[in-house]
Amino acid sequence: MNESPDTNGWEDQIGALLDGELTDEQAISLRAAAEHDPTLARAIDGAIELRQIMSKIPAEPAPRRLRKQLRQIPRQNRVVDRSGFLQLRWVMASATAAIAVTIAISQMWPQGPTDAQITQARQEFNLVLAYLARANRKTSNSIRLNIGHGFAGPVTKNTVRIISNQFGLDKE
Amino acid sequence: MNRWMIAILAATLSLTAMAQQEELKALPGYVEFGELSSVYGEPKVMINIGGTILKFMSAATKDDPVAAKLFKGLQGVRINVYSTAGQTGPAMEQLTKVKDILMNDDWEPIVQVKESDEEVQIFMKLDGEAIQGLVVMAVDGEEAVFINILGMIEPSQLSEVMEKFDVDVDL
């Protein structure tokens, strides 16, 4: 991997940038550094994308203290693992996994389905009913065919005979 | 977006679908239709509607008491449809396997139509007088359809809802 070993030092600043906690000078300095450091630029882009995804999730944000603790995890392991960007990735991966679980729960939880989801389920249900109707048509056609070959002839012949007798048609 | 993020989010969505499938598997009316993807490729229609969303559908159709009652009783609706493209053998084989399982598991055969190029089987699972599940399997030269409806089903309600809904979709 060709990540910059300096990326470790930027983690807090990226977090602070997204939280709007950097001064103008610090923000300009960070952006200037990103122009010369593709790894840093990717880290910022990734963090922004993640923040955008999180903003679309209908869930309460994690407590500030927890986010701070998450940001501190790579720092605690810095001595063991020097690939700082990799650590940032794992923090982001953990956060994304947490978002994923939130999405899954919000989709399954009783308070969850939106009008659009209910409408879609209704359309899907209609499609199932359409297939049921088609199977029903096939079976009823088959039954009609069987009746036609087996019973329909005698039944219709008898009916015609009875009606004919009633009205004396066979005498004419 | 980074690939790993997409992978995690995609995995989440399939996890949700799998969770619905798992929720349905625990019900007595659930039937495992087996795997036909290796022969026909991915199903052209695959729907799993879980009990939770059906309850919301029931609440959303309060103006239609019959449909609302039907949705309320249902616990799940599943359908798998494969394109057979004239190759009905594997689907017929699968249908026979499922049919044998159902017969051994006290499902009642309701309608069976067997012709040279097509077969339809309809089974019901009864618990006393209540229906716990309905299975419809239909195979012909065009497609193989496997439907499993779970929950308390009143056939009269089902047909009434079918008449009310515009279900005459050109399939």
Side-chain angles (χ1 to χ4, degrees):
Chain A
M1 253 182 187
N2 57 348
E3 276 130 11
S4 163
D6 296 334
T7 314
N8 271 336
W10 299 116
E11 287 163 16
D12 287 343
Q13 289 201 46
I14 293 171
L17 175 73
L18 297 179
D19 290 338
E21 291 171 353
L22 284 189
T23 62
D24 289 346
E25 291 81 23
Q26 286 172 322
I28 290 166
S29 165
L30 184 63
R31 288 198 178 105
E35 283 176 17
H36 298 98
D37 186 343
T39 305
L40 175 61
R42 277 200 302 274
I44 293 172
D45 288 346
I48 290 169
E49 279 179 6
L50 184 62
R51 186 62 63 97
Q52 284 169 345
I53 293 166
M54 286 178 78
S55 69
K56 289 175 189 165
I57 305 300
E60 288 184 16
R64 188 179 176 82
R65 194 172 156 195
L66 177 62
R67 281 184 285 159
K68 197 171 178 183
Q69 283 173 344
L70 277 172
R71 281 206 296 267
Q72 282 172 346
I73 292 169
R75 198 180 305 142
Q76 287 163 359
N77 296 332
R78 193 168 294 161
V79 177
V80 180
D81 188 349
R82 289 185 169 275
S83 55
F85 182 58
L86 187 63
Q87 290 174 0
L88 182 63
R89 268 187 181 174
W90 280 111
V91 175
M92 289 163 73
S94 306
T96 309
I99 292 166
V101 171
T102 309
I103 292 171
I105 290 170
S106 68
Q107 285 190 359
M108 288 184 294
W109 206 245
Q111 70 181 162
T114 61
D115 288 346
Q117 284 172 315
I118 291 171
T119 305
Q120 190 191 337
R122 182 72 177 257
Q123 286 167 353
E124 289 175 348
F125 188 78
N126 282 0
L127 188 60
V128 174
L129 288 182
Y131 273 104
L132 270 177
R134 191 167 136 176
N136 198 34
R137 275 200 300 273
K138 276 185 186 174
T139 52
S140 58
N141 283 346
S142 171
I143 290 165
R144 201 177 304 135
L145 280 172
N146 288 338
I147 288 172
H149 290 127
F151 296 100
V155 169
T156 49
K157 275 176 195 165
N158 278 336
T159 308
V160 168
R161 187 168 49 80
I162 290 164
I163 292 171
S164 300
N165 287 341
Q166 287 288 326
F167 290 94
L169 297 175
D170 54 340
K171 291 175 185 168
E172 288 180 8
Chain B
M1 191 185 291
N2 292 338
R3 273 179 295 179
W4 56 268
M5 279 194 206
I6 294 168
I8 290 174
L9 288 171
T12 306
L13 295 175
S14 48
L15 261 176
T16 311
M18 280 167 63
Q20 287 219 348
Q21 180 94 338
E22 289 303 314
E23 177 194 332
L24 297 179
K25 272 185 185 175
L27 299 171
Y30 180 89
V31 172
E32 184 59 67
F33 289 128
E35 178 55 56
L36 281 171
S37 303
S38 55
V39 183
Y40 299 117
E42 290 301 307
K44 70 182 215 183
V45 177
M46 187 165 83
I47 293 170
N48 290 305
I49 306 175
T52 306
I53 197 128
L54 283 165
K55 288 200 171 37
F56 278 89
M57 284 166 72
S58 173
T61 45
K62 274 183 181 163
D63 54 326
D64 183 349
V66 177
K69 200 173 173 189
L70 174 73
F71 289 139
K72 199 175 178 185
L74 291 178
Q75 292 174 307
V77 177
R78 302 164 53 227
I79 183 168
N80 289 350
V81 182
Y82 299 90
S83 294
T84 54
Q87 194 192 346
T88 56
M92 291 282 196
E93 215 170 278
Q94 192 64 35
L95 183 148
T96 306
K97 276 184 198 167
V98 177
K99 183 182 150 188
D100 290 344
I101 292 168
L102 295 178
M103 297 290 271
N104 288 327
D105 199 22
D106 296 330
W107 283 72
E108 299 283 341
I110 303 299
V111 177
Q112 302 193 29
V113 174
K114 194 165 184 175
E115 290 174 9
S116 59
D117 56 345
E118 69 175 302
E119 186 165 348
V120 181
Q121 299 278 347
I122 301 178
F123 283 83
M124 270 185 185
K125 176 88 166 175
L126 296 163
D127 177 21
E129 287 184 3
I131 298 170
Q132 290 181 323
L134 176 78
V135 165
V136 177
M137 300 182 285
V139 176
D140 62 20
E142 195 184 329
E143 55 195 15
V145 180
F146 295 86
I147 302 172
N148 185 194
I149 296 179
L150 302 96
M152 305 292 281
I153 306 158
E154 281 274 352
S156 58
Q157 282 174 1
L158 193 63
S159 58
E160 201 170 330
V161 170
M162 282 166 78
E163 279 170 21
K164 277 187 181 175
F165 286 1
D166 184 17
V167 296
D168 199 15
V169 180
D170 187 21
L171 296 170

XYZ file of all heavy atoms in Angstrom, chain B residues 21-94:
553
model
N -36.987 -13.831 4.852
C -37.073 -15.250 4.493
C -36.987 -16.110 5.757
O -37.761 -17.041 5.924
C -35.927 -15.579 3.533
C -35.899 -17.012 3.083
C -36.646 -17.194 1.763
O -37.484 -16.382 1.401
N -36.344 -18.252 1.067
N -36.048 -15.758 6.658
C -35.870 -16.512 7.897
C -37.116 -16.425 8.769
O -37.515 -17.396 9.396
C -34.650 -15.992 8.671
C -33.323 -16.343 8.033
C -33.133 -17.849 7.832
O -33.420 -18.619 8.772
O -32.752 -18.248 6.726
N -37.723 -15.209 8.795
C -38.936 -14.990 9.584
C -40.042 -15.941 9.094
O -40.765 -16.529 9.886
C -39.364 -13.523 9.410
C -40.652 -13.144 10.100
C -41.180 -11.789 9.617
O -40.375 -10.937 9.198
O -42.398 -11.610 9.651
N -40.120 -16.112 7.772
C -41.172 -16.949 7.196
C -40.900 -18.441 7.414
O -41.829 -19.225 7.577
C -41.309 -16.664 5.694
C -41.735 -15.237 5.322
C -41.806 -15.085 3.815
C -43.083 -14.904 5.938
N -39.621 -18.813 7.416
C -39.258 -20.229 7.523
C -39.796 -20.879 8.792
O -40.008 -22.082 8.834
C -37.728 -20.390 7.494
C -37.173 -20.526 6.096
C -35.697 -20.800 6.131
C -35.124 -20.813 4.732
N -33.676 -20.961 4.714
N -39.957 -20.088 9.835
C -40.400 -20.635 11.122
C -41.891 -20.968 11.127
O -42.364 -21.641 12.035
C -40.092 -19.624 12.222
N -42.630 -20.530 10.106
C -44.085 -20.728 10.107
C -44.457 -22.120 9.587
O -43.774 -22.659 8.711
C -44.744 -19.645 9.233
C -44.515 -18.207 9.701
C -45.002 -17.224 8.655
C -45.232 -17.960 11.015
N -45.562 -22.697 10.106
C -45.934 -24.065 9.693
C -46.317 -24.173 8.221
O -46.214 -25.246 7.638
C -47.120 -24.398 10.608
C -47.600 -23.102 11.156
C -46.450 -22.163 11.149
N -46.762 -23.069 7.625
C -47.178 -23.132 6.215
C -46.051 -22.907 5.237
O -46.264 -22.850 4.023
N -44.818 -22.775 5.755
C -43.668 -22.494 4.866
C -43.260 -23.760 4.118
O -43.207 -24.856 4.679
C -42.488 -21.986 5.703
C -41.260 -21.668 4.878
C -41.077 -20.398 4.338
C -40.295 -22.639 4.631
C -39.957 -20.122 3.581
C -39.175 -22.352 3.870
C -39.011 -21.095 3.348
O -37.908 -20.814 2.589
N -42.959 -23.596 2.843
C -42.502 -24.730 2.028
C -41.209 -24.347 1.305
O -41.124 -23.273 0.695
C -43.575 -25.123 0.985
C -43.036 -26.171 0.021
C -44.809 -25.670 1.698
N -40.236 -25.225 1.415
C -38.957 -25.005 0.726
C -39.082 -25.533 -0.697
O -39.340 -26.718 -0.893
C -37.850 -25.761 1.494
C -36.461 -25.541 0.959
C -36.057 -24.077 0.984
O -35.898 -23.532 2.084
O -35.925 -23.501 -0.117
N -38.939 -24.640 -1.675
C -39.124 -25.050 -3.069
C -37.848 -25.570 -3.721
O -37.877 -26.027 -4.855
C -39.664 -23.878 -3.898
C -41.092 -23.537 -3.586
C -41.453 -22.236 -3.267
C -42.073 -24.509 -3.610
C -42.767 -21.920 -2.977
C -43.397 -24.198 -3.319
C -43.740 -22.894 -3.003
N -36.745 -25.482 -3.028
C -35.492 -25.989 -3.595
C -34.856 -24.988 -4.543
O -35.329 -23.864 -4.713
N -33.825 -25.436 -5.168
C -32.971 -24.551 -5.961
C -33.069 -24.890 -7.452
O -32.803 -26.023 -7.850
C -31.520 -24.729 -5.474
C -30.505 -23.923 -6.219
C -30.859 -22.454 -6.223
O -31.035 -21.869 -5.141
O -30.958 -21.895 -7.335
N -33.495 -23.917 -8.236
C -33.553 -24.140 -9.689
C -32.667 -23.145 -10.442
O -32.602 -23.178 -11.670
C -35.003 -24.022 -10.185
C -35.897 -25.246 -9.950
C -37.343 -24.929 -10.275
C -35.438 -26.437 -10.778
N -32.014 -22.276 -9.694
C -31.187 -21.243 -10.339
C -30.054 -21.854 -11.160
O -29.667 -21.299 -12.185
C -30.595 -20.301 -9.298
O -31.612 -19.728 -8.550
N -29.536 -22.995 -10.692
C -28.413 -23.597 -11.412
C -28.827 -24.077 -12.800
O -28.002 -24.185 -13.694
C -27.845 -24.757 -10.603
O -28.871 -25.677 -10.311
N -30.124 -24.331 -12.975
C -30.619 -24.791 -14.289
C -31.136 -23.614 -15.116
O -30.781 -23.462 -16.287
C -31.776 -25.819 -14.094
C -32.231 -26.350 -15.447
C -31.354 -26.938 -13.183
N -31.980 -22.788 -14.508
C -32.672 -21.735 -15.259
C -32.098 -20.331 -15.045
O -32.606 -19.370 -15.603
C -34.151 -21.712 -14.866
C -34.884 -23.007 -15.173
C -35.441 -23.776 -14.160
C -35.000 -23.459 -16.485
C -36.105 -24.957 -14.437
C -35.660 -24.643 -16.770
C -36.210 -25.385 -15.751
O -36.859 -26.556 -16.029
N -31.086 -20.231 -14.206
C -30.573 -18.900 -13.885
C -31.423 -18.268 -12.799
O -32.323 -18.903 -12.250
N -31.153 -17.014 -12.501
C -31.885 -16.323 -11.432
C -33.374 -16.271 -11.751
O -33.749 -16.158 -12.920
C -31.349 -14.893 -11.278
C -29.957 -14.833 -10.687
C -29.878 -15.465 -9.308
O -30.674 -15.081 -8.446
O -29.044 -16.360 -9.101
N -34.236 -16.369 -10.726
C -35.675 -16.286 -10.985
C -36.044 -14.961 -11.649
O -35.470 -13.932 -11.312
C -36.299 -16.355 -9.588
C -35.245 -16.748 -8.659
C -33.927 -16.479 -9.297
N -37.007 -15.009 -12.585
C -37.423 -13.741 -13.210
C -38.329 -12.944 -12.272
O -38.426 -11.731 -12.382
C -38.078 -13.973 -14.569
C -39.426 -14.622 -14.568
C -39.868 -14.796 -16.015
C -41.359 -14.620 -16.168
N -41.835 -14.852 -17.510
N -38.975 -13.654 -11.365
C -39.728 -12.969 -10.293
C -39.402 -13.675 -8.990
O -39.482 -14.898 -8.914
C -41.262 -13.037 -10.535
C -42.011 -12.384 -9.380
C -41.658 -12.393 -11.839
N -39.004 -12.926 -7.998
C -38.797 -13.508 -6.670
C -39.303 -12.503 -5.640
O -38.763 -11.413 -5.525
C -37.330 -13.822 -6.409
C -37.150 -14.581 -5.105
S -35.546 -15.352 -4.913
C -34.594 -13.999 -4.331
N -40.360 -12.867 -4.956
C -40.977 -11.948 -3.996
C -41.114 -12.655 -2.652
O -41.563 -13.798 -2.590
C -42.372 -11.493 -4.513
C -42.223 -10.628 -5.775
C -43.125 -10.715 -3.441
C -43.538 -10.335 -6.475
N -40.711 -11.976 -1.613
C -40.940 -12.446 -0.242
C -41.566 -11.286 0.521
O -40.906 -10.280 0.752
C -39.623 -12.827 0.449
C -39.023 -14.081 -0.120
O -39.665 -15.124 -0.166
N -37.804 -13.986 -0.593
N -42.832 -11.405 0.860
C -43.478 -10.347 1.650
C -43.697 -10.910 3.045
O -44.375 -11.932 3.215
C -44.822 -9.911 1.025
C -44.638 -9.509 -0.446
C -45.413 -8.740 1.800
C -45.933 -9.192 -1.159
N -43.116 -10.264 4.018
C -43.186 -10.749 5.397
C -44.441 -10.280 6.112
O -45.196 -9.433 5.619
N -44.659 -10.858 7.293
C -45.855 -10.558 8.064
C -45.960 -9.111 8.497
O -47.048 -8.534 8.519
N -44.814 -8.498 8.806
C -44.845 -7.114 9.293
C -45.429 -6.188 8.244
O -46.341 -5.410 8.526
C -43.408 -6.660 9.642
O -42.860 -7.612 10.539
C -43.419 -5.298 10.296
N -44.917 -6.311 7.025
C -45.395 -5.389 5.977
C -46.840 -5.707 5.604
O -47.610 -4.812 5.270
C -44.466 -5.397 4.739
C -44.719 -4.152 3.865
C -44.623 -6.613 3.884
C -43.508 -3.387 3.549
N -47.228 -6.983 5.708
C -48.625 -7.335 5.421
C -49.565 -6.678 6.432
O -50.669 -6.266 6.089
C -48.795 -8.858 5.437
C -48.278 -9.572 4.185
C -48.141 -11.065 4.430
C -49.195 -9.337 2.990
N -49.118 -6.573 7.690
C -49.952 -5.912 8.705
C -50.102 -4.425 8.374
O -51.162 -3.842 8.547
C -49.340 -6.106 10.082
C -49.524 -7.540 10.531
C -49.408 -7.750 11.995
C -49.824 -9.155 12.386
N -49.454 -10.216 11.468
N -49.013 -3.831 7.897
C -49.106 -2.426 7.491
C -50.003 -2.277 6.269
O -50.727 -1.297 6.144
C -47.708 -1.859 7.209
C -47.010 -1.424 8.454
C -46.228 -2.294 9.172
C -47.171 -0.138 8.945
C -45.598 -1.915 10.336
C -46.553 0.264 10.118
C -45.755 -0.627 10.821
N -49.940 -3.266 5.364
C -50.829 -3.235 4.199
C -52.280 -3.336 4.649
O -53.157 -2.696 4.087
C -50.489 -4.385 3.240
C -49.228 -4.134 2.436
S -48.618 -5.628 1.626
C -49.824 -5.862 0.347
N -52.498 -4.159 5.687
C -53.851 -4.295 6.228
C -54.343 -2.950 6.768
O -55.467 -2.527 6.498
C -53.847 -5.338 7.345
O -55.084 -5.381 7.987
N -53.458 -2.282 7.512
C -53.817 -0.978 8.081
C -54.066 0.049 6.987
O -54.903 0.938 7.123
C -52.714 -0.497 9.013
N -53.337 -0.111 5.864
C -53.456 0.870 4.771
C -54.692 0.634 3.910
O -55.005 1.437 3.047
C -52.203 0.827 3.904
N -55.392 -0.494 4.124
C -56.581 -0.780 3.302
C -57.832 -0.838 4.173
O -58.703 -1.677 3.965
C -56.421 -2.130 2.555
O -55.924 -3.095 3.472
C -55.516 -2.036 1.378
N -57.885 0.063 5.143
C -59.038 0.059 6.052
C -60.345 0.334 5.314
O -61.405 -0.095 5.746
C -58.826 1.092 7.157
C -58.025 0.523 8.320
C -57.882 1.514 9.431
C -57.051 0.910 10.558
N -56.537 1.925 11.466
N -60.242 1.065 4.197
C -61.446 1.384 3.437
C -61.977 0.157 2.684
O -63.066 0.185 2.148
C -61.164 2.525 2.450
C -59.972 2.223 1.564
O -59.036 1.555 2.065
O -59.981 2.628 0.391
N -61.173 -0.903 2.646
C -61.598 -2.129 1.971
C -61.528 -3.268 3.000
O -60.505 -3.936 3.145
C -60.655 -2.408 0.786
C -61.082 -3.620 -0.005
O -61.963 -4.364 0.463
O -60.534 -3.832 -1.105
N -62.626 -3.485 3.736
C -62.581 -4.436 4.859
C -62.167 -5.849 4.453
O -61.485 -6.526 5.223
C -64.021 -4.427 5.389
C -64.687 -3.264 4.771
C -63.941 -2.880 3.556
N -62.589 -6.295 3.265
C -62.269 -7.670 2.850
C -60.757 -7.820 2.649
O -60.138 -8.763 3.156
C -63.023 -8.042 1.551
C -62.629 -9.447 1.102
C -64.519 -7.965 1.776
N -60.177 -6.849 1.906
C -58.728 -6.893 1.671
C -57.985 -6.750 2.992
O -57.003 -7.460 3.248
C -58.319 -5.792 0.710
N -58.474 -5.843 3.853
C -57.809 -5.613 5.147
C -57.801 -6.898 5.975
O -56.796 -7.254 6.583
C -58.515 -4.489 5.897
N -58.940 -7.616 5.955
C -59.051 -8.860 6.725
C -58.117 -9.924 6.144
O -57.474 -10.667 6.888
C -60.500 -9.347 6.695
C -60.815 -10.310 7.814
C -62.289 -10.635 7.856
C -62.559 -11.735 8.865
N -63.923 -12.230 8.796
N -58.043 -9.953 4.826
C -57.160 -10.929 4.176
C -55.707 -10.670 4.557
O -54.978 -11.574 4.975
C -57.320 -10.855 2.649
C -56.354 -11.722 1.856
C -56.727 -13.198 1.965
C -56.329 -11.326 0.389
N -55.289 -9.409 4.440
C -53.893 -9.051 4.769
C -53.590 -9.330 6.237
O -52.498 -9.753 6.584
C -53.626 -7.573 4.468
C -53.580 -7.249 3.006
C -54.156 -6.095 2.505
C -52.949 -8.088 2.107
C -54.115 -5.795 1.165
C -52.899 -7.803 0.757
C -53.483 -6.646 0.281
N -54.587 -9.087 7.087
C -54.384 -9.266 8.522
C -54.115 -10.737 8.851
O -53.309 -11.057 9.710
C -55.629 -8.775 9.276
C -55.378 -8.482 10.727
C -56.604 -7.888 11.360
C -56.372 -7.647 12.837
N -57.583 -7.168 13.506
N -54.811 -11.616 8.145
C -54.639 -13.047 8.413
C -53.369 -13.620 7.819
O -52.853 -14.623 8.294
N -52.865 -12.966 6.780
C -51.680 -13.499 6.112
C -50.414 -13.245 6.920
O -50.272 -12.211 7.561
C -51.511 -12.850 4.727
C -52.551 -13.206 3.662
C -52.266 -12.449 2.383
C -52.555 -14.696 3.398
N -49.511 -14.212 6.876
C -48.222 -14.047 7.575
C -47.056 -13.946 6.606
O -45.959 -13.570 6.997
C -48.017 -15.231 8.524
C -48.998 -15.219 9.673
C -48.880 -16.467 10.524
O -48.929 -17.585 10.017
N -48.720 -16.288 11.814
N -47.318 -14.298 5.382
C -46.230 -14.198 4.400
C -46.695 -14.613 3.021
O -47.634 -15.397 2.890
N -46.068 -14.045 2.019
C -46.364 -14.391 0.626
C -45.033 -14.533 -0.098
O -44.175 -13.653 -0.001
C -47.213 -13.285 -0.057
C -47.440 -13.620 -1.521
C -48.543 -13.116 0.654
N -44.874 -15.672 -0.762
C -43.610 -15.899 -1.487
C -43.922 -16.383 -2.893
O -44.869 -17.125 -3.103
C -42.777 -16.989 -0.793
C -42.438 -16.705 0.631
C -41.972 -17.967 1.341
N -40.886 -18.621 0.629
C -40.841 -19.915 0.374
N -41.817 -20.712 0.722
N -39.815 -20.427 -0.266
N -43.095 -15.967 -3.818
C -43.240 -16.484 -5.182
C -41.866 -16.534 -5.842
O -41.051 -15.614 -5.676
C -44.244 -15.649 -6.022
C -44.434 -16.265 -7.412
C -43.801 -14.215 -6.153
C -45.590 -15.685 -8.193
N -41.608 -17.623 -6.530
C -40.411 -17.751 -7.366
C -40.879 -18.151 -8.756
O -41.613 -19.132 -8.888
C -39.477 -18.855 -6.857
C -38.779 -18.469 -5.567
O -38.845 -17.323 -5.134
N -38.129 -19.418 -4.939
N -40.469 -17.382 -9.749
C -40.850 -17.714 -11.131
C -39.580 -17.818 -11.973
O -38.762 -16.892 -11.981
C -41.781 -16.629 -11.734
C -42.201 -17.019 -13.148
C -43.009 -16.422 -10.860
N -39.414 -18.942 -12.638
C -38.252 -19.155 -13.516
C -38.732 -19.277 -14.962
O -39.804 -19.839 -15.209
C -37.533 -20.457 -13.150
C -36.976 -20.496 -11.742
C -37.751 -20.974 -10.692
C -35.690 -20.062 -11.471
C -37.244 -21.014 -9.392
C -35.183 -20.110 -10.180
C -35.961 -20.590 -9.152
O -35.461 -20.630 -7.873
N -37.934 -18.785 -15.873
C -38.225 -19.000 -17.294
C -37.713 -20.381 -17.674
O -36.530 -20.667 -17.513
C -37.514 -17.945 -18.149
O -38.053 -16.689 -17.888
N -38.621 -21.223 -18.174
C -38.189 -22.580 -18.517
C -37.724 -22.677 -19.974
O -36.984 -23.607 -20.308
C -39.325 -23.591 -18.284
O -40.474 -23.150 -19.005
C -39.662 -23.723 -16.819
N -38.191 -21.783 -20.817
C -37.804 -21.768 -22.231
C -37.913 -23.154 -22.873
O -37.009 -23.620 -23.561
C -36.377 -21.223 -22.374
N -39.016 -23.796 -22.614
C -39.281 -25.087 -23.233
C -38.625 -26.270 -22.544
O -38.948 -27.427 -22.833
N -37.726 -25.983 -21.612
C -37.011 -27.072 -20.926
C -37.705 -27.337 -19.579
O -37.280 -26.824 -18.536
C -35.554 -26.624 -20.713
C -34.642 -27.760 -20.324
C -33.293 -27.238 -19.834
O -32.961 -26.067 -20.022
N -32.526 -28.097 -19.190
N -38.768 -28.116 -19.619
C -39.580 -28.264 -18.404
C -39.083 -29.370 -17.464
O -39.479 -29.399 -16.305
C -41.045 -28.595 -18.785
O -41.051 -29.752 -19.610
C -41.705 -27.435 -19.508
N -38.233 -30.251 -17.966
C -37.789 -31.423 -17.192
C -37.356 -31.123 -15.765
O -37.944 -31.665 -14.811
N -36.337 -30.288 -15.568
C -35.863 -30.033 -14.200
C -36.941 -29.431 -13.292
O -37.025 -29.793 -12.110
C -34.717 -29.024 -14.402
C -34.284 -29.208 -15.811
C -35.499 -29.592 -16.573
N -37.783 -28.561 -13.853
C -38.831 -27.936 -13.031
C -39.884 -28.965 -12.646
O -40.364 -28.991 -11.502
C -39.465 -26.777 -13.792
N -40.225 -29.846 -13.592
C -41.204 -30.908 -13.302
C -40.649 -31.824 -12.206
O -41.374 -32.259 -11.305
C -41.471 -31.744 -14.560
C -42.217 -30.991 -15.641
S -43.969 -30.860 -15.284
C -44.606 -30.383 -16.892
N -39.337 -32.111 -12.311
C -38.685 -32.969 -11.322
C -38.774 -32.329 -9.926
O -39.096 -32.986 -8.943
C -37.211 -33.103 -11.717
C -36.599 -34.448 -11.411
C -35.227 -34.551 -12.051
O -35.139 -34.863 -13.259
O -34.259 -34.273 -11.329
N -38.487 -31.020 -9.888
C -38.534 -30.289 -8.617
C -39.953 -30.271 -8.066
O -40.172 -30.440 -6.866
C -38.015 -28.855 -8.837
C -37.735 -28.089 -7.563
C -36.615 -28.708 -6.738
O -35.662 -29.240 -7.300
N -36.765 -28.684 -5.441
